[in-house]
Amino acid sequence: MKLEKRQRDLMKQSVVVVVAFMIGWAPYLCMALFEYFSNSRASPALDFGTTTAVAVYELLNPLIIIRFDRDIGKNCRRAFSSFTSVVTGKVEVIKPRGP
């Protein structure tokens, strides 16, 4: 039962990653095909928009993985918590136990 749930979760993660990839890169691909077949350059605004779409995808991809993978998410939260503790100066010193 647990294995089936894990497999369903992996399938959901895979579908979300693939859909996000297609949404992120489709505008850039369309612009590139337009430029190739029309022998003209796309407007700077369209170029900026397609590049921004790719950048947003690249930022969201790790967040998708963190959301679906519990171990990676837990490790990222622990690392972020440690980092913020060091930055804010609220580091808790663990004293060694005596004999």
Side-chain angles (χ1 to χ4, degrees), residues 14-81:
S14 299
V15 169
V16 170
V17 167
V18 169
V19 168
F21 176 83
M22 292 172 66
I23 291 171
W25 281 96
Y28 194 81
L29 175 65
C30 291
M31 184 190 69
L33 290 172
F34 168 77
E35 288 181 348
Y36 179 76
F37 288 115
S38 69
N39 289 328
S40 64
R41 302 284 303 168
S43 71
L46 181 63
D47 188 30
F48 177 77
T50 57
T51 304
T52 302
V54 171
V56 167
Y57 161 72
E58 294 295 337
L59 290 172
L60 287 178
N61 194 40
L63 298 177
I64 293 169
I65 301 301
I66 289 170
R67 163 67 179 87
F68 280 99
D69 194 318
R70 290 183 185 105
D71 293 333
I72 292 174
K74 184 172 57 174
N75 289 337
C76 288
R77 285 188 293 278
R78 187 180 308 145
F80 183 73
S81 174

